[in-house]
Amino acid sequence: MVDRYYIYEQRKILNEVANDIRSVPENNFVSDLERIEEEHAVTIVYSEVSSNLDQLNDSIKSKFEMKKLKLNKFWITENTLNTLQNNSVNKIYDQGVSKYKVLTKFIKIDNYIIAIALPLPHMEETIQIINRFNIVLMIVSVILIIFLVVILSKKITKPLESLKGLSQDIASLKFRKEEITTNDEIGDLAKSINSMSEKLEKAHNEISVQNKRLRELMSDVSHELKTPLSIVKVYEQGIVDGLDDGTYRDVIEEQIEKMDLLIGKLLFWAELESSSLKKCDFDIGKRIIDTTEKYTLILHENCIDLSLNIDVEKEYIICAEQEGIDVVLDNLVTNAIKYTNDKRIEITLTKDTNGVNLTIANGVGDIDESDLENIWRPFYVLEKSRSKELSGTGLGLPIIKTILDNHKLDYGFKLKNNRLTFFVTFA
């Protein structure tokens, strides 16, 4: 294949030379042939057409020898002369032991035969060497390509296998991360999956916490409803058995009222979780005064001293949902009344650059601080020995927390010297 292609390329050179010769003017024929010969590095001779083929062959052969191109084998046949009448003729003359060939192109112009010769070296041995070299080069190339493919495939498939394992672990709720630093699309994919794993873990933990709280809530609700239902059942059976002394009906109605109050508070709490805020500007100082006035009689009956530190000449304007804040104030005040053990409640309202600050403090006796972490839980009883008359529904503080969270306000509590202080900052 190589030798054929080489001959094909050399023939293209001879064709170009033949075209140049045909374009030569008659008056510059000899000088132009010499120029073309030098430009294309070929040997050009010409001879007048003769009927004697031997004389013609000797003439052309001797002219080639004069130009130092010795030809051991060279001949022009009758068939060649006939073909030249219409077309050019290409021939290759193998010089035998001289180990070269002569590629020759014959053209006929007027009564002259022009021979264009281009020596070709014997290429068989060279081609065999090149072929052997190509085979070795091909084998080495194949081995190198296989080696590179294996390395690149491992570089690609290894992180993909890691991502596959990571995805399977995430699907099994085993949230983790995979450190892959390939600085390409696979590395970007790993970062995305790691971020997704982190967010899914956070969401899963939040859902788990919510599910735990829901189970606790269901347990607490069941417990809170079980007691009045048991009482109602016992007293109803007493009425059936004729044991009613005139008070059974009142007890049943009282327990039903407690259950109705509990269910009402639960529905109100659930509504708070999904309702949107309807904020407006109002004076919280006046709302606190109105709220405490409702409990004047209860405070007097229980000999509780209420200290109200509010400057009535100032305005404490905040932007919030008035109905929700009224619920917060009412629950904080009633909780202070229920839990105070030193019969002293202190409500303070101040105003500074941070906003309006509300604090409600009351004595709570000796309480373990670890118990305070649970006060926002539904139905949690801070004081285990408190009377049922003051117990309420146990949903006051969770409702307060939900309302304040919806407002995105800063709130909390502090315990110091056996006094519990709730604080809220209305920014």
Side-chain angles (χ1 to χ4, degrees), residues 264-283:
K265 283 289 184 72
L266 286 171
L267 292 175
F268 177 72
W269 186 28
E271 186 179 352
L272 287 175
E273 296 283 350
S274 57
S275 62
S276 57
L277 297 177
K278 299 177 181 178
K279 293 184 178 182
C280 64
D281 293 336
F282 61 93
D283 191 336

Side-chain angles (χ1 to χ4, degrees), residues 225-252:
L225 289 175
K226 183 178 180 180
T227 300
L229 282 173
S230 298
I231 295 174
V232 168
K233 184 177 180 180
V234 170
Y235 277 81
E236 184 270 340
Q237 187 62 45
I239 293 174
V240 173
D241 294 340
L243 302 175
D244 186 6
D245 60 356
T247 62
Y248 283 19
R249 181 183 176 86
D250 294 336
V251 173
I252 292 174

Side-chain angles (χ1 to χ4, degrees), residues 386-398:
R386 63 178 178 155
S387 64
K388 267 297 186 182
E389 287 75 12
L390 295 175
S391 64
T393 60
L395 294 174
L397 289 177

Side-chain angles (χ1 to χ4, degrees), residues 174-410:
K174 298 177 182 178
F175 303 103
R176 61 180 182 85
K177 293 182 180 180
E178 193 72 46
E179 294 299 328
I180 297 176
T181 55
T182 56
N183 296 322
D184 55 11
E185 289 78 3
I186 296 178
D188 295 338
L189 177 62
K191 291 178 182 178
S192 299
I193 295 179
N194 286 337
S195 177
M196 179 185 70
S197 177
E198 183 178 356
K199 292 178 180 178
L200 285 175
E201 182 179 17
K202 183 178 179 181
H204 176 72
N205 291 337
E206 290 178 355
I207 292 173
S208 299
V209 171
Q210 292 295 334
N211 287 338
K212 181 181 179 182
R213 290 176 179 173
L214 180 60
R215 289 193 296 269
E216 291 175 351
L217 177 62
M218 294 300 296
S219 176
D220 291 339
V221 170
S222 300
H223 178 74
E224 291 293 324
L225 289 175
K226 183 178 180 180
T227 300
L229 282 173
S230 298
I231 295 174
V232 168
K233 184 177 180 180
V234 170
Y235 277 81
E236 184 270 340
Q237 187 62 45
I239 293 174
V240 173
D241 294 340
L243 302 175
D244 186 6
D245 60 356
T247 62
Y248 283 19
R249 181 183 176 86
D250 294 336
V251 173
I252 292 174
E253 289 180 352
E254 180 184 358
Q255 298 304 317
I256 292 175
E257 184 178 350
K258 285 184 178 181
M259 287 188 290
D260 184 63
L261 178 63
L262 174 61
I263 293 171
K265 283 289 184 72
L266 286 171
L267 292 175
F268 177 72
W269 186 28
E271 186 179 352
L272 287 175
E273 296 283 350
S274 57
S275 62
S276 57
L277 297 177
K278 299 177 181 178
K279 293 184 178 182
C280 64
D281 293 336
F282 61 93
D283 191 336
I284 191 174
K286 293 180 180 180
R287 305 307 303 168
I288 294 173
I289 294 172
D290 292 342
T291 300
T292 55
E293 286 180 352
K294 293 190 302 182
Y295 297 99
T296 301
L297 182 59
I298 295 177
L299 292 169
H300 180 71
E301 289 178 350
N302 291 276
C303 299
I304 297 175
D305 178 31
L306 173 63
S307 176
L308 200 58
N309 301 316
I310 300 176
D311 189 346
V312 294
E313 294 182 359
K314 286 185 177 181
E315 288 187 339
Y316 300 91
I317 305 298
I318 65 170
C319 181
E321 184 180 63
Q322 183 172 320
E323 181 180 355
I325 299 303
D326 284 345
V327 173
V328 170
L329 297 176
D330 189 73
N331 277 284
L332 287 176
V333 171
T334 54
N335 275 346
I337 294 173
K338 291 174 187 176
Y339 288 101
T340 181
N341 71 336
D342 59 359
K343 305 296 183 179
R344 187 165 56 89
I345 300 173
E346 185 177 3
I347 300 177
T348 303
L349 194 63
T350 60
K351 188 176 182 181
D352 56 24
T353 55
N354 294 325
V356 178
N357 304 298
L358 168 65
T359 60
I360 299 179
N362 61 274
V364 290
D366 188 13
I367 292 180
D368 190 349
E369 289 192 23
S370 60
D371 289 340
L372 293 176
E373 299 298 327
N374 299 312
I375 64 174
W376 303 112
R377 279 178 45 197
F379 306 108
Y380 180 74
V381 179
L382 183 62
E383 187 181 345
K384 308 297 182 183
S385 61
R386 63 178 178 155
S387 64
K388 267 297 186 182
E389 287 75 12
L390 295 175
S391 64
T393 60
L395 294 174
L397 289 177
I399 289 175
I400 290 173
K401 183 179 187 301
T402 301
I403 293 173
L404 296 179
D405 284 340
N406 289 344
H407 281 79
K408 295 181 173 57
L409 298 176
D410 182 27

